[in-house]
Amino acid sequence: MLLAHVSDPHVTSPERRAYRIVDTARGLARTIDTLLARRPRPDAVILTGDLACDGRPEEYAQIARELERLPMPVFAIPGNHDERGAFRAHLVPRFCPTEDPTFLQFAVELDDLVLIGLDTLVEGSEGGALCARRLAWLEAALAKARDRSVVLALHHPPFATGIPFMDAIALAAPDRLETLVRAHGRVERVLCGHVHRSIQTLWAGTLASIAPATAHQVGLVLDPTAPSSFTFEPPGFQLHLRLPDGRWVTHLVPVGDWPGPYRFAEYAAG
Ligand SMILES: [Fe+2]
């Protein structure tokens, strides 16, 4: 199993730029091109939120056109920049097989593993949360996936990253989620977005991993007195590879143009 983890494309309509200077539509298009060029191709793709920049219907129409270029199963959950109505109109059920009339969350089987996507969006807020209803749905989904390997995807990370202005808008009150993940015992990855950087930590007894954004990155600002910022560090995505022995390894794939590859055999001598 090769699972591509793409996040935070923040797609705008063609005449606009995110934050006045970021061509986010191009960022997603280049990411799709990179996914299509990989050999082997990923078996599935999960997008962990902030698909649109401003939640406009035309942004989701553009996103759907891009995602339709991918031949493998593609799944998406919302982030704080998304708008549930327009998301649902353009991406459900093909890219988000939710059965909930309100929330955009799902559990799907990929080979012998269960991919669960959670909706942590709180309308009008940059931070995320899981209400009692969403947690109850997750508890039932995890119970149904008992004894199965699970990959859990949610936009807002349930852990601190050390970037103060992002930690202030992370997932609120993650204790109940942590209890559910620990109780299941076979949640093998927790995949997040929101922070626009590649970040990993051990959380709830498993590896939690944030994918970089496909467009602008959040500055690595660890100084609590420094202002929030974004950068044009290389965009990318993560590839989670499940080896034959069942172990997952996580690779970072930058998206861009640079020299190489150079064959070691040709350059080893002299
Ligand atoms: Fe984002």
Side-chain angles (χ1 to χ4, degrees):
M1 167 62 63
L2 187 58
L3 177 64
H5 173 196
V6 174
S7 204
D8 293 79
H10 284 241
V11 168
T12 62
S13 45
E15 72 284 2
R16 297 178 61 250
R17 296 284 181 272
Y19 302 104
R20 292 190 286 126
I21 57 172
V22 190
D23 188 350
T24 51
R26 181 166 179 265
L28 180 59
R30 294 182 80 191
T31 300
I32 302 287
D33 291 343
T34 305
L35 287 166
L36 288 170
R38 286 217 60 82
R39 294 294 181 276
R41 278 185 178 160
D43 297 302
V45 180
I46 174 74
L47 290 103
T48 48
D50 281 2
L51 276 72
C53 189
D54 297 310
R56 300 175 185 219
E58 60 269 28
E59 296 173 345
Y60 291 100
Q62 171 70 17
I63 292 160
R65 278 194 294 275
E66 286 294 342
L67 298 184
E68 280 164 6
R69 294 203 286 133
L70 292 168
M72 69 288 284
V74 178
F75 303 98
I77 51 170
N80 50 292
H81 281 259
D82 289 304
E83 197 281 317
R84 286 197 186 96
F87 187 117
R88 183 180 290 274
H90 289 274
L91 303 181
V92 172
R94 175 157 179 190
F95 302 114
C96 180
T98 183
E99 294 177 355
D100 192 292
T102 303
F103 299 118
L104 299 162
Q105 51 190 22
F106 55 83
V108 292
E109 296 187 5
L110 295 174
D111 292 340
D112 62 337
L113 106 98
V114 179
L115 173 66
I116 297 178
L118 284 178
D119 178 342
T120 56
L121 170 59
V122 177
E123 286 178 12
S125 171
E126 290 185 302
L130 289 168
C131 58
R133 194 167 126 215
R134 281 175 276 186
L135 284 166
W137 177 87
L138 174 63
E139 186 169 11
L142 287 171
K144 194 175 173 191
R146 192 171 47 242
D147 304 326
R148 308 276 296 274
S149 298
V150 170
V151 171
L152 185 64
L154 69 166
H155 179 70
H156 294 85
F159 57 89
T161 64
I163 302 176
F165 61 87
M166 294 307 297
D167 291 345
I169 55 171
L171 185 76
D175 302 21
R176 180 69 184 138
L177 176 64
E178 181 174 357
T179 299
L180 291 175
V181 169
R182 282 189 186 278
H184 184 275
R186 289 194 64 185
V187 177
E188 295 175 350
R189 281 290 185 281
V190 174
L191 307 182
C192 306
H194 196 46
V195 190
H196 294 223
R197 301 196 66 82
S198 181
I199 300 169
Q200 288 77 40
T201 193
L202 285 174
W203 179 81
T206 188
L207 184 72
S209 188
I210 302 174
T214 62
H216 54 292
Q217 310 304 302
V218 163
L220 181 53
V221 178
L222 303 177
D223 175 358
T225 66
S228 62
S229 61
F230 64 91
T231 83
F232 288 110
E233 290 173 38
F237 57 89
Q238 289 179 343
L239 273 181
H240 306 283
L241 170 63
R242 198 177 192 205
L243 297 168
D245 66 0
R247 195 183 303 255
W248 287 93
V249 289
T250 292
H251 295 270
L252 174 65
V253 184
V255 172
D257 298 316
W258 37 74
Y262 298 95
R263 293 185 180 218
F264 282 111
E266 283 180 40
Y267 286 82

